[in-house]
Amino acid sequence: SISSPLPGLPHGKPANVPCPHLDEALRCRLFGQPERPKVCGSLPPSREMCGDTREHALHFLERLEQATRP
């Protein structure tokens, strides 16, 4: 989830919902733009997070979401 406002998502983005700002190759269209939420840049990719597959990365992010849920 992203609790910061995003363009078109004034209340942020819920967990398990793809960001509408990803392109067809799953790259961020807001990258480098001032409207990109700071939280998006504060989570740098790592081998532990990304693994070798998209499924690994999504599972890692799900565990992170659960661990940081209020």
Side-chain angles (χ1 to χ4, degrees), residues 20-40:
H21 300 290
L22 296 177
D23 67 14
E24 298 76 26
L26 303 176
R27 292 179 300 227
C28 178
R29 290 185 179 119
L30 299 179
F31 190 84
Q33 303 298 315
E35 53 273 31
R36 182 177 184 222
K38 290 188 189 308
V39 69
C40 295

Side-chain angles (χ1 to χ4, degrees), residues 16-17 24 32:
N16 299 316
V17 173
E24 298 76 26

Side-chain angles (χ1 to χ4, degrees), residues 2-3 6:
I2 298 173
S3 57
L6 291 127

Side-chain angles (χ1 to χ4, degrees), residues 4-70:
S4 308
L6 291 127
L9 298 169
H11 304 291
K13 185 197 79 58
N16 299 316
V17 173
C19 181
H21 300 290
L22 296 177
D23 67 14
E24 298 76 26
L26 303 176
R27 292 179 300 227
C28 178
R29 290 185 179 119
L30 299 179
F31 190 84
Q33 303 298 315
E35 53 273 31
R36 182 177 184 222
K38 290 188 189 308
V39 69
C40 295
S42 70
L43 183 63
S46 67
R47 179 81 172 139
E48 176 190 12
M49 178 174 69
C50 297
D52 292 323
T53 65
R54 176 172 162 73
E55 290 75 24
H56 174 95
L58 292 174
H59 183 68
F60 181 94
L61 290 173
E62 176 61 30
R63 289 191 325 258
L64 184 60
E65 179 73 27
Q66 290 174 6
T68 59
R69 189 173 290 153

